[in-house]
Amino acid sequence: MRADARGNEGNKVDLALEVSHLSFSYAAALPAENADGRASAALPEVLHDVSLTVPRGAFCLLVGPTGCGKTTLLRLCKPELAPVGERLGEIRVLGRDVDELARDPVRSATSVGYVAQDPENQIVCDTVWREMAFGLESVGIPEPEMRRRVAETCYYLGMEPWFRASTSELSGGRKQVLALASALAMRPGLLLLDEPTSMLDPVAERTFLSLLEHANRELGVTVVVATHRPDPMAPYATQTLSLPGLAGTEVPGRGHDAPLPSAAGVSGADDVVELRDVWYRYARTAPWVLRGASLDLHAGQVRAMIGGNGSGKSTLLRLAAGVARPQRGRVRNLAAASQALLPQEPKALLSKETVRDELMAWSATAGYADKDARAAMERLRLGPELLDRHPYDLSGGQQQLLALAKLLLARPRLLLLDEPTKGLDAAARDAAAQAIRQAAASGAAVLIATHDMDLVRATAHEVTMLFDGQDQVSEPTTDFLAASWLWRG
């Protein structure tokens, strides 16, 4: 792929990022063997002969199918995060070769900012103000200058009302703003963001993108965003670059064309989960997250929970699973011995050395074979070339699909899914939706917390909207969409 940035007169403009003939292969987690028993060569390339340029001051969107190498490319541009493997070609960041930048960690930390897909992976301190100071302290910024940077950044991003809040009590939207603020406090020239709005509700997404645009336009920070959903960012973008997929081409989507599931198909089915008048908060003095919420889930039913960041969707999933207990109310779960919970961060389910080992981890107890694991991979668009890759070397979207495949192989009676399609392209989202529909058709009860209304349309029999700590609306999906002003269409 080649994308050059040049001025109107044909002169090459000042570049924030220049990638020349870049190829990259991850290091194999374990030696793979060929048919004749000999150890195989390195894993297939994730990136192949990629060349691109991003001018200083640009707002660049980096797009491409799940697994095409967007996250890998961003991490290679940030020496502290560069993955282990074989790299060919050159990368220059703000005029300096990344290998040179790697030998100067302070300059690397201050010149290149990085915001990950899941802010939980970046937040390390217990309060907002400590998190803001952490990076500055680590590179030896003097205290007076550190105080100035923290104050200016928080003022600029409107964080003063929650500056002293506990990070554990922040909503997903505020955690993402905190990750952005911590990066901007370092005053980088280049800011790299990996699917930064994938777990935000539509309102929080617009707020975050507005802040990002201001940082780009008013502070002069060059922005490069890897995303599967470029449409919401298109009004801010000055450049779009596309990475081609190396492991096959896109297949036509299925989810959008599938008819809406009918609630009639599960009426009268056995109750699997019942929550009645549940109240929950994370600390004695903290505000209530749930204030009398109720919900039913039946065998063979898919129920989608929607609502803003911080509305209690993830909390309700944890209560249903028995991971947390309500301070008031009642939770009844008849499938506790056969349930599977997909958290927002799929790495929590990934602990083995290879993708193959992850998929076979529960084979002895769940009674499936290697051929079943390979079939699950195929259904979820995970190519066989990934089998010997370390799970942490997969893209965020591939990790999401791997975790989902691992859960589905166990054939649970109750499937609890927290943002199961975050970080996925349209084709991968459709494959995930089809797998969820198949699980329900086999009798599983499925409860989904999501902002992805396409997933809701493709899978859910009923929709529950959480607001003000309660289930404000619970209706069949067709009725909900027909009556909704916000989500109609």
Side-chain angles (χ1 to χ4, degrees):
M1 182 188 76
R2 181 73 195 177
D4 286 317
R6 297 183 180 274
N8 293 333
E9 290 77 33
N11 297 322
K12 197 169 185 180
V13 301
D14 193 15
L15 298 176
L17 178 62
E18 184 174 13
V19 176
S20 300
H21 302 290
L22 174 66
S23 297
F24 183 80
S25 300
Y26 279 93
L30 293 173
E33 292 187 349
N34 295 317
D36 58 6
R38 296 178 301 167
S40 67
L43 292 174
E45 291 180 331
V46 178
L47 297 166
H48 175 71
D49 196 27
V50 173
S51 296
L52 59 85
T53 57
V54 178
R56 287 185 189 251
F59 192 119
C60 175
L61 304 184
L62 187 64
V63 301
T66 299
C68 71
K70 299 187 297 298
T71 298
T72 300
L73 176 57
L74 292 188
R75 291 177 62 194
L76 287 170
C77 297
K78 176 74 170 168
E80 304 95 301
L81 303 178
V84 177
E86 181 180 349
R87 192 197 89 198
L88 301 175
E90 297 183 352
I91 304 174
R92 296 184 66 82
V93 176
L94 301 172
R96 302 187 69 175
D97 188 277
V98 289
D99 294 327
E100 177 188 353
L101 201 60
R103 295 188 290 270
D104 190 348
V106 172
R107 181 179 287 273
S108 178
T110 56
S111 60
V112 183
Y114 191 93
V115 177
Q117 181 178 127
D118 187 350
E120 297 283 359
N121 290 335
Q122 289 187 257
I123 296 175
V124 296
C125 297
D126 60 345
T127 62
V128 171
W129 72 268
R130 290 183 186 276
E131 183 68 23
M132 289 289 297
F134 178 79
L136 298 168
E137 288 177 337
S138 67
V139 297
I141 300 297
E143 183 176 351
E145 175 63 14
M146 181 172 63
R147 293 170 66 88
R148 174 197 295 273
R149 292 193 187 188
V150 169
E152 287 184 348
T153 305
C154 288
Y155 170 77
Y156 184 75
L157 297 180
M159 298 170 58
E160 189 171 2
W162 46 283
F163 176 63
R164 296 192 176 274
S166 169
T167 54
S168 64
E169 297 174 5
L170 298 181
S171 68
R174 285 188 170 179
K175 286 180 180 178
Q176 200 65 284
V177 172
L178 175 57
L180 174 63
S182 299
L184 290 179
M186 306 294 283
R187 296 187 177 173
L190 174 63
L191 183 61
L192 309 172
L193 304 99
D194 189 6
E195 298 282 2
T197 64
S198 63
M199 292 193 297
L200 301 184
D201 64 65
V203 175
E205 179 181 51
R206 287 192 293 270
T207 300
F208 182 85
L209 291 177
S210 177
L211 294 174
L212 193 57
E213 184 208 16
H214 286 306
N216 169 245
R217 188 181 67 241
E218 298 175 4
L219 303 181
V221 179
T222 303
V223 172
V224 179
V225 184
T227 181
H228 288 302
R229 297 179 59 248
D231 289 351
M233 305 181 190
Y236 312 109
T238 62
Q239 179 185 23
T240 299
L241 301 175
S242 178
L243 286 182
L246 296 177
T249 58
E250 291 291 313
V251 299
R254 292 176 296 269
H256 302 301
D257 298 326
L260 283 170
S262 170
V266 293
S267 60
D270 294 336
D271 284 347
V272 174
V273 173
E274 180 184 278
L275 295 94
R276 284 289 175 269
D277 193 30
V278 295
W279 292 64
Y280 188 85
R281 57 185 174 187
Y282 285 90
R284 185 179 295 274
T285 58
W288 291 102
V289 179
L290 295 172
R291 304 185 314 108
S294 297
L295 180 145
D296 294 313
L297 187 66
H298 313 300
Q301 180 187 40
V302 180
R303 180 180 292 279
M305 292 187 295
I306 65 171
N309 291 104
S311 63
K313 300 187 300 298
S314 297
T315 301
L316 200 146
L317 282 180
R318 288 165 52 84
L319 292 175
V323 176
R325 293 185 178 182
Q327 282 85 16
R328 305 181 198 170
R330 178 170 61 91
V331 177
R332 180 170 171 260
N333 182 348
L334 298 181
S338 178
Q339 66 178 17
L341 171 63
L342 177 67
Q344 284 191 8
E345 177 45 65
K347 283 184 178 180
L349 291 176
L350 307 179
S351 60
K352 304 299 182 182
E353 290 297 315
T354 68
V355 169
R356 186 194 311 272
D357 291 341
E358 287 290 357
L359 291 172
M360 297 303 295
W362 301 331
S363 59
T365 54
Y368 59 88
D370 180 75
K371 63 181 180 62
D372 301 310
R374 289 177 176 268
M377 287 187 68
E378 183 177 353
R379 283 194 299 271
L380 290 173
R381 298 178 53 80
L382 293 169
E385 72 279 359
L386 302 179
L387 281 168
D388 295 306
R389 182 101 50 94
H390 193 287
Y392 282 21
D393 288 337
L394 303 183
S395 72
Q398 289 172 327
Q399 289 177 359
Q400 193 80 7
L401 293 171
L402 173 59
L404 180 60
K406 184 176 181 179
L407 295 184
L408 292 174
L409 281 166
R411 296 188 290 272
R413 287 181 58 205
L414 173 61
L415 193 57
L416 305 166
L417 306 174
D418 200 349
E419 297 290 355
T421 56
K422 70 179 177 65
L424 302 184
D425 62 31
R429 287 200 305 270
D430 289 345
Q434 184 177 29
I436 292 168
R437 289 197 300 269
Q438 289 174 343
S442 298
V446 185
L447 184 60
I448 307 174
T450 186
H451 297 302
D452 185 350
M453 293 306 295
D454 287 333
L455 177 68
V456 173
R457 294 182 180 93
T459 64
H461 300 99
E462 298 211 10
V463 176
T464 294
M465 180 180 179
L466 296 182
F467 177 76
D468 192 32
Q470 298 178 337
D471 53 309
Q472 299 290 343
V473 179
S474 283
E475 294 178 334
T477 303
T478 49
D479 295 345
F480 179 87
L481 294 175
S484 173
W485 169 67
L486 184 59
W487 287 292
R488 183 185 305 167

